Amino acid sequence: MDGSTFSPSCLTDKKCVPCNLKELRPMTEGAAHTLMPQVDEWNLVNEDGVMKLRRSWTVKTFTKGLEFFRKVAVLAENEGHHPDLHLAGWNNVTIEIWTHAVGGLTENDFILAAKIDKLDLLDLLRRKPSD
C-alpha cells in the first residue's frame, strides 16, 4: 500500500491501517496537498525533509490542556496511531502527526487529524476575542 495512493472518500469514515505493513510508504507532497482541504485547520510542514501535519490550540487552563490530551489519547489508541502531543507554557497545545515508521505522511495521518477535528473540545478552548 503506497502512502501516495488514497481514496478521496471522507477521512473520518476510515480507520488507520497498521504501520508495520512493509509496503507502506510516505506519500508525496502532491498527494498530501490533495488531502489538505479535508483537514484545513492543520498546517503541512516539512521538518528536515519529513512532512508532518501540525495544529495548535489555546486552552483555558493547564488542566484543560491535560484533558484535551486525554481525549486525543483515547481516539489515538482506538485508531492505533499516535501523534506527538506538546503542551507549551501553561495553555498552548500543539499536535504533530506523521507516520514515524515510514518517516513521513501516510493517509493514516490525515485520518487521525480529521477525527481529532471532530472531537468535542470547545469547552476546553479559550474563546477568541471576536467570540
Side-chain angles (χ1 to χ4, degrees):
M1 172 185 287
D2 181 350
S4 64
T5 304
F6 56 87
S7 166
S9 65
C10 184
L11 291 169
T12 56
D13 293 337
K14 296 184 174 191
K15 178 99 173 121
C16 292
V17 300
C19 295
N20 58 359
L21 297 176
K22 289 184 182 192
E23 61 273 9
L24 195 63
R25 301 280 181 267
M27 66 175 50
T28 65
E29 190 169 344
H33 281 291
T34 302
L35 288 175
M36 286 304 295
Q38 293 189 61
V39 292
D40 61 353
E41 297 286 329
W42 293 78
N43 295 304
L44 182 62
V45 297
N46 186 323
E47 207 167 77
D48 298 323
V50 176
M51 285 193 307
K52 302 176 182 182
L53 295 175
R54 181 180 295 149
R55 184 170 175 197
S56 296
W57 296 261
T58 303
V59 292
K60 292 178 182 177
T61 65
F62 177 79
T63 56
K64 296 284 186 193
L66 297 177
E67 187 176 339
F68 184 105
F69 285 159
R70 185 193 59 74
K71 288 184 177 191
V72 171
V74 169
L75 171 64
E77 273 298 301
N78 287 337
E79 289 297 317
H81 195 58
H82 305 100
D84 287 0
L85 308 174
H86 306 275
L87 179 59
W90 58 272
N91 70 337
N92 298 302
V93 172
T94 299
I95 297 179
E96 291 181 331
I97 307 173
W98 78 100
T99 303
H100 298 77
V102 301
L105 290 173
T106 64
E107 188 178 40
N108 284 348
D109 304 304
F110 287 88
I111 291 168
L112 185 60
K115 289 184 177 187
I116 289 170
D117 285 347
K118 296 288 185 193
L119 289 174
D120 182 12
L121 302 169
L122 288 178
D123 62 321
L124 305 176
L125 301 177
R126 230 182 204 188
R127 290 180 179 252
K128 294 179 182 175
S130 60
D131 289 351

